């Protein structure tokens, strides 16, 4: 196991407000298993099995066996690890009991919003329906749906709480992501109300960590990590003034499991780190100082390619008070989170 991931898992296991024994001997189905966020949750389950004999049955649903082998290595061959090769947008079956369902299969890269909007919509709608149906039929103890802070749309508020709802134009192509995530959330609410399913929603902020796919992830912070690893200038393709609400995966996974196990059915929880809200240009400055040994600098794309960001993103901080009320607190600072992320990829290169 990657040394950084192992260190994170050890610390997560010792979080005083987490009762990990509740998933001991459980069968947990995870869709989008090779994705950045669900993969880290699976690593936590692997850790619990390997180091604490939790005997968790991991049902990892994805479409590519080769990719799963790359992400999980030898652990994908363990008896407790079952790979389900299927498309979540189609009906599927799972043999045996399923105690928890974590639905994280989704296309979140903005480059696909314009090229494959149907492929963006379907996992968030049809995929959510199929996984909710499975959870209902299996009488699962809990269901966790990965939504997004994109559901808030264009909103002019300093602090965004879960009850807030901003403007989304349903006839704008880019809304394929936010609108379909909204419908997925409403499906969770409907199943909770109509069938008594303990369905909970999480809305992750911009999340980063060791399981990022640097080859496919086009987000700016992923690009910065690649730049650092390759001794390249940190390239800004905008004015850099737009702010992001960041969250290191340790705090993310802590929050996701906390919501799954202790969250209220039919409710949504933001998962972010308010202390890590920062403008992109300021993030670049911090990373230059954090990695002096890499001798990197900041570079801007040529003037013709520089664009202005959505002004709404400059103002809003994602509130996490609902999640804090469950006993969750973010632990990892922005600088420390990126240090761990870069260190994890450097270890993989060895």
């Amino acid at each position: 196991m990657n040394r950084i991931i192992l260190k994170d898992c050890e610390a997560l296991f010792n979080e005083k407000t987490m009762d990990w024994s509740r998933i001991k001997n459980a069968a947990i189905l995870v869709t989008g298993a090779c994705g950045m966020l669900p993969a880290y949750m699976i690593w936590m389950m692997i850790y619990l099995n390997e180091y604490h004999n939790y005997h968790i049955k991991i049902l990892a649903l994805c479409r590519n066996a080769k990719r799963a082998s790359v992400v999980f290595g030898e652990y994908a061959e363990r008896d407790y690890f079952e790979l389900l090769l299927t498309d979540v947008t189609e009906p599927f079956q799972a043999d045996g009991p399923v105690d928890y369902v974590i639905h994280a299969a989704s296309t979140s890269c903005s480059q696909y919003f314009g090229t494959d909007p149907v492929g963006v919509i379907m996992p968030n709608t049809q995929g959510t329906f199929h996984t909710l149906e499975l959870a209902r039929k299996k009488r699962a103890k809990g269901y966790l749906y990965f939504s997004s802070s994109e559901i808030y749309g264009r909103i002019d508020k300093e602090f965004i709480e879960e009850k807030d709802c901003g403007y989304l134009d349903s006839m704008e192509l880019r809304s394929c992501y936010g609108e379909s995530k909204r419908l997925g959330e409403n499906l969770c609410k409907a199943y909770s109300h109509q069938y008594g399913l303990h369905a909970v929603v999480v809305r992750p902020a911009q999340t980063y960590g060791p399981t990022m796919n640097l080859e496919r992830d086009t987000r700016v912070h992923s690009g910065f990590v690649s730049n650092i690893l390759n001794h390249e200038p940190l390239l800004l393709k905008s004015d850099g003034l737009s702010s992001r609400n960041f969250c290191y995966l340790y705090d993310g996974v802590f929050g996701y499991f906390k919501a799954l196990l202790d969250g209220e059915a039919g409710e949504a929880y933001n998962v972010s780190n308010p202390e890590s809200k920062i403008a992109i240009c300021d993030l670049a400055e911090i990373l230059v100082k954090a990695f002096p040994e890499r001798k990197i600098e900041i570079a801007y794309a040529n003037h013709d390619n520089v664009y202005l960001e959505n002004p709404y993103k400059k103002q809003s901080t994602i509130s996490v008070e609902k999640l804090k009320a469950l006993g969750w607190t973010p632990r990892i600072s922005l600088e420390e989170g990126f240090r761990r992320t870069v260190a994890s990829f450097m270890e993989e290169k060895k």
Side-chain angles (χ1 to χ4, degrees):
M1 185 182 293
N2 180 293
R3 180 176 57 86
I4 300 299
I5 295 178
L6 177 59
K7 180 181 177 181
D8 283 351
C9 290
E10 288 173 341
L12 280 167
F13 182 74
N14 291 311
E15 286 285 356
K16 293 181 180 179
T17 64
M18 278 299 304
D19 182 7
W20 294 106
S21 67
R22 291 173 61 186
I23 59 173
K24 198 170 188 178
N25 301 309
I28 303 178
L29 186 146
V30 184
T31 72
C34 296
M36 177 177 67
L37 310 186
Y40 225 72
M41 296 185 79
I42 289 176
W43 278 116
M44 186 62 200
M45 297 178 216
I46 290 172
Y47 167 81
L48 292 171
N49 284 345
E50 296 286 329
Y51 291 87
H52 299 281
N53 298 313
Y54 263 49
H55 304 290
I56 299 169
K57 179 68 175 179
I58 300 170
L59 303 168
L61 190 151
C62 64
R63 294 181 294 180
N64 190 317
K66 185 176 181 180
R67 176 65 183 159
S69 179
V70 170
V71 173
F72 300 110
E74 62 181 299
Y75 298 101
E77 305 298 324
R78 296 287 201 267
D79 290 341
Y80 58 72
F81 197 107
E82 181 178 344
L83 197 61
L84 302 178
L85 293 175
T86 188
D87 188 330
V88 74
T89 64
E90 302 290 338
F92 67 93
Q93 301 294 324
D95 296 331
V98 175
D99 298 298
Y100 296 95
V101 175
I102 298 169
H103 178 36
S106 181
T107 301
S108 60
C109 291
S110 59
Q111 68 192 77
Y112 296 112
F113 297 173
T115 60
D116 186 22
V118 174
V120 172
I121 292 169
M122 297 305 282
N124 300 329
T125 54
Q126 284 291 96
T128 305
F129 168 69
H130 292 316
T131 51
L132 282 166
E133 271 293 283
L134 178 74
R136 180 182 69 84
K137 292 175 180 177
K138 295 287 186 178
R139 297 185 178 181
K141 298 176 183 177
Y143 176 99
L144 186 68
Y145 172 64
F146 274 78
S147 185
S148 166
S149 57
E150 289 255 350
I151 64 97
Y152 293 116
R154 297 172 185 172
I155 186 167
D156 189 8
K157 285 194 67 178
E158 184 176 356
F159 294 97
I160 298 179
E161 299 175 286
E162 287 84 353
K163 63 181 176 59
D164 294 322
C165 187
Y167 173 74
L168 273 177
D169 182 354
S170 62
M171 294 307 293
E172 184 178 309
L173 198 57
R174 197 187 188 285
S175 296
C176 64
Y177 186 66
E179 289 281 25
S180 60
K181 284 295 187 184
R182 280 183 172 182
L183 180 54
E185 288 194 10
N186 197 247
L187 276 169
C188 292
K189 185 72 174 184
Y191 268 76
S192 176
H193 171 78
Q194 190 167 339
Y195 300 114
L197 179 64
H198 195 274
V200 180
V201 172
V202 286
R203 298 171 181 164
Q206 296 279 342
T207 310
Y208 65 98
T211 48
M212 288 194 300
N213 187 333
L214 298 182
E215 294 180 0
R216 297 182 59 186
D217 192 341
T218 59
R219 292 174 299 174
V220 64
H221 53 283
S222 179
F224 282 173
V225 172
S226 292
N227 294 151
I228 293 168
L229 292 169
N230 295 320
H231 297 274
E232 298 170 345
L234 304 185
L235 183 63
L236 275 73
K237 299 179 181 179
S238 72
D239 56 13
L241 298 177
S242 177
S243 297
R244 298 287 189 275
N245 291 273
F246 287 101
C247 186
Y248 178 65
L249 266 169
Y250 176 98
D251 293 323
V253 170
F254 183 12
Y256 310 149
F257 274 112
K258 196 68 181 166
L260 173 65
L261 298 177
D262 295 327
E264 186 177 342
E267 292 296 321
Y269 296 86
N270 289 328
V271 185
S272 182
N273 185 344
E275 299 301 317
S276 293
K277 178 177 179 282
I278 191 171
I280 298 303
C281 57
D282 293 333
L283 173 61
E285 294 281 359
I286 286 177
L287 294 179
V288 167
K289 295 176 182 178
F291 298 94
E293 72 282 2
R294 311 300 286 186
K295 298 180 180 179
I296 53 178
E297 57 186 20
I298 300 172
Y300 285 82
N302 67 63
H303 183 74
D304 292 337
N305 292 329
V306 173
Y307 60 90
L308 296 178
E309 297 277 8
N310 182 341
Y312 294 97
K313 292 183 178 179
K314 296 178 184 178
Q315 302 174 28
S316 302
T317 296
I318 303 296
S319 170
V320 292
E321 294 309 307
K322 278 183 66 176
L323 193 59
K324 281 186 174 182
L326 301 181
W328 172 90
T329 304
R331 308 289 190 194
I332 311 300
S333 70
L334 195 67
E335 183 173 328
E336 174 61 19
F338 275 96
R339 284 187 184 278
R340 293 190 189 189
T341 302
V342 171
S344 71
F345 282 104
M346 290 179 67
E347 180 175 321
E348 295 294 331
K349 283 188 172 183
K350 293 179 181 179

